[in-house]
Structures are given as structure tokens and as C-alpha cells.
Amino acid sequence: LRLGMALLGAAAGLTPLASSSASVFDVVVIGAGISGLAAAARIHSESQLDFRVLEGRNRTGGRLLSTVGGADLGGSWIWGQDSRVKGASSRLGLELVPQRLDGEALYSQGGDTRRVGPVGDQMAPCGPGAWRLSGGYSGLPAKLSDSLPAESVMLGC
């Protein structure tokens, strides 16, 4: 696939490459969310294809986003039947922890934090048996991205 103005154009939100500096890759993956990174990891491990992952944001993860403190703002829970997520997490050295629903819940808005009591089971409707990734779900795309050649993931495209 030849990347350049003729194929992508400014309408796609990418800075067009001059035709004399166009790059040729066997595969271009659009998006560095979990699906794009999983596809790229498979391409990397099972082929000799030259590939690039193009991401519009300046970070990987797509809808998986965690705060510095590990609170998930996107996907949060891993269920018992999610064997692919559990397997990938294990292979990448990520720790699974059970979702806790006990303890005091806090509510924060505009810098004001209030205790609202032991209502975790009402606030997190995941039920028993759910798991989370220690440090937040965005650790999964971060580790997947780190497992790829550095030049293969292009952010802010």
C-alpha cells in the first residue's frame, strides 16, 4: 500500500506525504485501540510483513483509558469467559485482580469529595466474578504496543 496524497488525502485528517517520499508497507492498521494493536501483534508474531499502525490520537488504547490512579474511564471488567483477554494479560505480564464491591464509596465533583456509604454493588453493576487489570485496563494496549517494533506504531497521524 502506498501512503500518499493519492490514497489518503487531507480529508482523512492525515498530513499528506510528498509523492517522492511515499512509504510502502505490506499492511497498514488504522487505529491503535485494542483491536488494531491485537491485529498488529498477530501480524508481527506470525509473518514477516512490513506493517504500520496509524493512530490519530497521541496515545494508544482507543476507548480503553485509565487515570494515573488506575480508575478506568473505558472498558473496566474482565469476565470468566473472556479467555482471550485473560490469556493476553498473562502473556504480557499484567496482573488480574478481583473487582471489589465492598468498602466505602466516594463521590467527587469539582474538587469536593463526599463519602456515600457501602454502595459499591450499586455503583459497579459488574456482579461477583468480575476481574480488573491492576493499574487499569489501559495497561493492556500499552503492553501490546510495547511488544511491537518502535517504528511500527505511529501516533498523532
Side-chain angles (χ1 to χ4, degrees):
L1 175 62
R2 184 168 296 281
L3 295 178
M5 188 182 293
L7 290 178
L8 298 175
L14 299 175
T15 304
L17 299 173
S19 59
S20 63
S21 66
S23 300
V24 177
F25 305 105
D26 297 314
V27 179
V28 174
V29 177
I30 306 297
I34 194 68
S35 296
L37 291 169
R42 191 160 185 184
I43 292 165
H44 179 61
S45 69
E46 296 181 14
S47 77
Q48 298 298 313
L49 297 172
D50 188 18
F51 69 94
R52 292 296 181 270
V53 179
L54 305 181
E55 171 57 52
R57 294 181 176 128
N58 288 320
R59 64 171 181 82
T60 61
R63 291 178 36 202
L64 298 180
L65 177 63
S66 305
T67 66
V68 174
D72 289 312
L73 305 178
S76 297
W77 300 300
I78 301 167
W79 300 98
Q81 66 271 24
D82 293 337
S83 60
R84 285 189 236 172
V85 175
K86 285 183 173 181
S89 300
S90 176
R91 281 190 305 279
L92 294 167
L94 296 168
E95 179 186 5
L96 290 170
V97 294
Q99 171 65 50
R100 292 187 54 198
L101 300 176
D102 61 335
E104 185 81 16
L106 303 173
Y107 173 78
S108 181
Q109 183 177 16
D112 179 39
T113 302
R114 297 183 292 146
R115 295 182 183 279
V116 292
V119 294
D121 58 336
Q122 297 169 31
M123 295 178 69
C126 61
W131 295 82
R132 298 174 56 96
L133 288 175
S134 180
Y137 221 138
S138 63
L140 186 58
K143 288 279 194 172
L144 272 172
S145 179
D146 290 347
S147 74
L148 300 171
E151 72 281 357
S152 66
V153 179
M154 301 172 71
L155 303 177
C157 294

